[in-house]
Amino acid sequence: MAKYKAAPHYVISGGIEFTAFGTYETEDAKEITLLDSLTPLWITRVDDGKKSEEHAQVDDKAAKAPTPTKRKANATSSAK
């Protein structure tokens, strides 16, 4: 089963309509393929602990990305 989150009452052609809470659940492979093609731009997949391999790879890359260094404030004074 795949669970998705989007804007309330979001409708996708083919009869897929999200609830008033913006959720949708399906076991249909065709619907899952269609909905996965719309993530993360329009909808979000929110399965309970089970991630697809594609999403797991994206998460691994994000975890390995170096953190940017913080910029220090400039020590200029506007007093004359």
Side-chain angles (χ1 to χ4, degrees):
M1 177 172 302
K3 298 179 183 181
Y4 297 90
K5 182 97 174 142
H9 299 291
Y10 187 70
V11 178
I12 299 170
S13 63
I16 298 173
E17 183 174 349
F18 286 75
T19 66
F21 299 107
T23 59
Y24 186 79
E25 296 181 15
T26 185
E27 292 181 358
D28 185 356
K30 289 181 180 180
E31 287 183 356
I32 291 172
T33 302
L34 174 63
L35 292 167
D36 281 345
S37 71
L38 298 173
T39 60
L41 186 59
W42 300 104
I43 60 175
T44 305
R45 188 168 180 172
V46 290
D47 290 338
D48 291 332
K50 233 183 177 185
K51 293 184 180 181
S52 68
E53 290 181 25
E54 179 182 319
H55 292 286
Q57 289 175 354
V58 171
D59 289 344
D60 289 342
K61 289 179 184 176
K64 293 178 184 177
T67 56
T69 57
K70 292 185 179 180
R71 293 177 51 185
K72 294 182 180 179
N74 202 359
T76 60
S77 175
S78 60
K80 292 185 180 181

